[in-house]
Amino acid sequence: MSIESREGLISAQRNERTADKLATGARPTLVKILAVIGLLFLVAPILGILSRVQWLDLWSQLTDPAVRDALVLSAWTSSATTVIAVVVGVPLALMLARGHGRPAGLVRAFVVLPLVLPPVISGVALLALLGRNGLIGAGINTWFGFTIPFTQVAVVIAQLFVALPFLVITVEGALRTRGRHLEQAARTLGASESRIIWSVTIPAVRTAIIAGAALCWARALGEFGATVTFAGSFPGVTQTLPIEVYYSLVTQPDRAIAISVLMIAICVVVLVSLRRSWSGRFLRDA
Amino acid sequence: MPNENSLAATFQMQRGSLFADVSFTVEPGKPLAVLGSNGSGKSSLLHALSGLIAIRAGRIALANTTLDAPGERCFVPPAERRTSMVFQDYRLFGWLSVRGNLEFAVRARPRTATVGVSEIDELMTRFELNQIAGHRASALSGGQSQRLAIARALAARPEMLLLDEPFSALDRRVGDSVRAALGRAINDFPGPVVLVTHDLTDAQRFCDQAILLEHGRIQAAGPVDEVVNGIESATVLGRDTTPEG
């Protein structure tokens, strides 16, 4: 190593911070100011809720029978939604990842649609399909003598409609980036296609399935618009946590705040566990 | 007179909008080096031989059995080709143990002869994997990963061995230990071997013959020393010792 380059090395070490800045790019003052405004806009409402919490009262609010009913309902419906989403969503993701051309593009558009559709419209769509006079609902009512809307089944259906895309998109991305190469390797080793799906494809994207399921569960837990439209808000029957928050906001604001804090806490836990699975195992297995 | 277990390939690959022709034969015991710069079509060529991509025209035949011949509507899928490929990025099953990766390869193909524990043990010893038998493949170092990738390819009992840049991701010291292991494996291998590399020294060390590929076309072919000498300067290959990304 020449003397010049050694000196260069030393000065580079001294100016490590400058070097980092050069590598990531500088951050001009105007950018900083606007970024802080943006961040405050996201953080302030959370602080607002936390400032209103009656901490001593929190436990009794959350153990109130009405809240407990809503909590139990929300927990089991969003869990059921997630199980169904994994069972049908992983195969759908596989079809999307392996498909190409116009048909796959069309399917993907339908998969993504609920992500951007206003949830209340999703609820209206489900009513149009499964309502008493709906496309399928009329037949169900005539032949089997029951209707789906405003039942707990309707809660799960509404959640599934809005939450399934989160799982499908997450898993499809992983299948494209990680699954395909490992599938090729298994193919050259002589493994059959069915064996590849079970012992290569699914294990290869398992962390993405877990991440997608967590996102799906969190979205289902927070579902409001489609649920209230399609399943209604009958206390103890279809009144999930978010609906409980909405209706108690006027009459019992402390209860609404207490439930809100609980849901924020749940979301934070989901996010933190996701971060671990994404930055940790997900990358290490690559 | 070609050996009856030779690989004979004459085909057209699709490279972007360009169709190019290649033609070569590889006899057992006389490994072929495929040389060329990045993007010259080396990896595509291996993918065509393994069946991961289909050729546009021509014929690929191994041991007088046609593997791919569009003109005759014949295409043997990769799982039925008995062609093992060692990928540049290893493509190990990270959630399985070292031993589990070998077991996967041994069990992948239904076969008449019973193979199993002894064969795996032999490979584990040959590629110095015994001490890490229980480690998850995702936790291995580069050199360990490459040794396992080669062992896994052999565990599938291939009739042809394809190697894609087996040392490009390894530093010099680790690369040399893998080179020794691969050298023994190539010497013992009973079928045709194709080694894709952009390192001329590796080509001369492991192979008897070579082709130089540019833009999907064969620029030079023949005994490896002749082809390497014919490459006047390293500029033809870019920086020939620098690993590809």
Side-chain angles (χ1 to χ4, degrees):
Chain A
M1 189 182 286
S2 70
I3 291 170
E4 286 90 340
S5 68
R6 188 169 293 183
E7 278 173 351
L9 193 69
I10 291 165
S11 65
Q13 280 168 347
R14 277 191 195 138
N15 291 323
E16 214 165 293
R17 278 192 182 174
T18 323
D20 281 355
K21 268 185 192 170
L22 283 173
T24 55
R27 287 169 289 186
T29 314
L30 180 63
V31 172
K32 277 184 189 162
I33 293 170
L34 293 174
V36 167
I37 293 173
L39 182 64
L40 276 179
F41 185 73
L42 296 176
V43 172
I46 306 294
L47 295 178
I49 279 194
L50 293 179
S51 75
R52 290 282 311 275
V53 181
Q54 307 287 323
W55 294 101
L56 296 176
D57 218 16
L58 195 62
W59 183 250
S60 64
Q61 287 287 359
L62 292 179
T63 47
D64 179 276
V67 177
R68 217 175 44 212
D69 284 352
L71 183 62
V72 169
L73 177 69
S74 272
W76 87 254
T77 50
S78 48
S79 300
T81 296
T82 306
V83 170
I84 300 170
V86 169
V87 170
V88 300
V90 173
L92 184 53
L94 195 63
M95 294 293 286
L96 276 177
R98 291 186 173 188
H100 35 73
R102 209 172 273 266
L106 195 65
V107 171
R108 186 173 294 103
F110 274 107
V111 168
V112 179
L113 189 62
L115 290 178
V116 290
L117 209 60
V120 62
I121 306 302
S122 303
V124 171
L126 288 170
L127 274 177
L129 180 72
L130 297 167
R132 187 181 294 273
N133 301 312
L135 191 60
I136 296 178
I140 294 175
N141 191 20
T142 311
W143 295 322
F144 303 103
F146 70 91
T147 52
I148 291 172
F150 312 111
T151 63
Q152 296 191 340
V153 174
V155 174
V156 173
I157 291 174
Q159 290 176 352
L160 189 61
F161 187 81
V162 294
L164 181 59
F166 285 85
L167 181 112
V168 176
I169 297 299
T170 311
V171 175
E172 193 212 346
L175 284 169
R176 282 180 184 280
T177 52
R178 291 168 45 66
R180 197 172 283 175
H181 281 170
L182 292 172
E183 286 167 359
Q184 285 186 339
R187 228 162 261 150
T188 60
L189 292 171
S192 68
E193 288 301 315
S194 60
R195 189 184 151 93
I196 286 173
I197 287 193
W198 287 108
S199 49
V200 176
T201 312
I202 290 179
V205 299
R206 72 200 182 289
T207 41
I209 294 176
I210 294 167
L215 283 173
C216 172
W217 186 81
R219 178 67 187 88
L221 190 73
E223 218 302 304
F224 177 80
T227 311
V228 84
T229 310
F230 183 55
S233 59
F234 302 112
V237 184
T238 63
Q239 188 149 316
T240 57
L241 277 182
I243 299 172
E244 174 74 27
V245 170
Y246 185 75
Y247 283 103
S248 58
L249 194 54
V250 181
T251 52
Q252 293 166 284
D254 286 350
R255 175 185 287 182
I257 296 284
I259 300 173
S260 302
V261 168
L262 175 69
M263 296 195 75
I264 290 171
I266 292 171
C267 290
V268 168
V269 168
V270 169
L271 272 182
V272 168
S273 58
L274 273 186
R275 228 183 102 73
R276 274 213 191 117
S277 69
W278 281 88
S279 63
R281 289 169 61 181
F282 197 76
L283 293 179
R284 209 168 57 233
D285 290 353
Chain B
M1 186 68 191
N3 185 296
E4 60 175 6
N5 291 319
S6 295
L7 162 73
T10 301
F11 59 90
Q12 245 182 19
M13 293 186 292
Q14 185 172 22
R15 296 187 37 69
S17 56
L18 189 84
F19 300 102
D21 297 282
V22 290
S23 181
F24 56 87
T25 57
V26 187
E27 289 176 41
K30 291 184 177 172
L32 173 77
V34 180
L35 301 165
S37 55
N38 294 347
S40 61
K42 292 177 296 182
S43 285
S44 304
L45 186 142
L46 282 197
H47 279 69
L49 295 180
S50 65
L52 292 175
I53 57 175
I55 58 174
R56 304 286 307 193
R59 171 198 293 274
I60 296 173
L62 178 64
N64 293 325
T65 306
T66 302
L67 296 180
D68 194 352
E72 297 158 34
R73 298 189 169 279
C74 169
F75 179 79
V76 178
E80 290 160 33
R81 283 195 186 195
R82 308 205 67 103
T83 297
S84 276
M85 181 143 153
V86 178
F87 294 88
Q88 194 174 358
D89 51 358
Y90 316 135
R91 305 198 183 175
L92 300 174
F93 305 127
W95 58 93
L96 296 177
S97 68
V98 167
R99 198 182 181 87
N101 270 270
L102 297 182
E103 283 167 354
F104 182 98
V106 164
R107 291 191 195 132
R109 267 190 193 100
R111 60 187 86 206
T112 46
T114 49
V115 282
V117 180
S118 65
E119 190 174 350
I120 291 176
D121 283 340
E122 195 265 318
L123 283 167
M124 301 268 294
T125 307
R126 180 136 63 107
F127 289 93
E128 299 165 40
L129 298 169
N130 279 315
Q131 298 208 326
I132 51 167
H135 292 206
R136 275 163 59 113
S138 59
L140 301 183
S141 70
Q144 292 169 333
S145 297
Q146 188 57 281
R147 290 206 305 271
L148 175 57
I150 298 166
R152 186 182 67 174
L154 294 173
R157 278 204 169 174
E159 290 168 358
M160 174 162 71
L161 186 60
L162 309 174
L163 302 144
D164 193 358
E165 301 277 10
F167 316 109
S168 66
L170 304 176
D171 65 44
R172 182 51 64 186
R173 191 179 52 80
V174 174
D176 285 342
S177 89
V178 178
R179 277 180 177 85
L182 182 64
R184 290 192 296 273
I186 288 179
N187 279 336
D188 296 346
F189 190 73
V193 176
V194 179
L195 169 71
V196 160
T197 183
H198 57 302
D199 188 310
L200 302 179
T201 317
D202 282 335
Q204 288 178 300
R205 173 170 178 173
F206 296 111
C207 300
D208 295 275
Q209 27 163 4
I211 56 175
L212 172 64
L213 219 56
E214 279 307 323
H215 305 297
R217 282 176 200 285
I218 294 179
Q219 298 287 65
V224 66
D225 293 330
E226 235 171 68
V227 173
V228 168
N229 290 337
I231 300 169
E232 290 178 347
S233 73
T235 51
V236 177
L237 294 176
R239 290 179 191 151
D240 63 342
T241 52
T242 309
E244 281 176 14

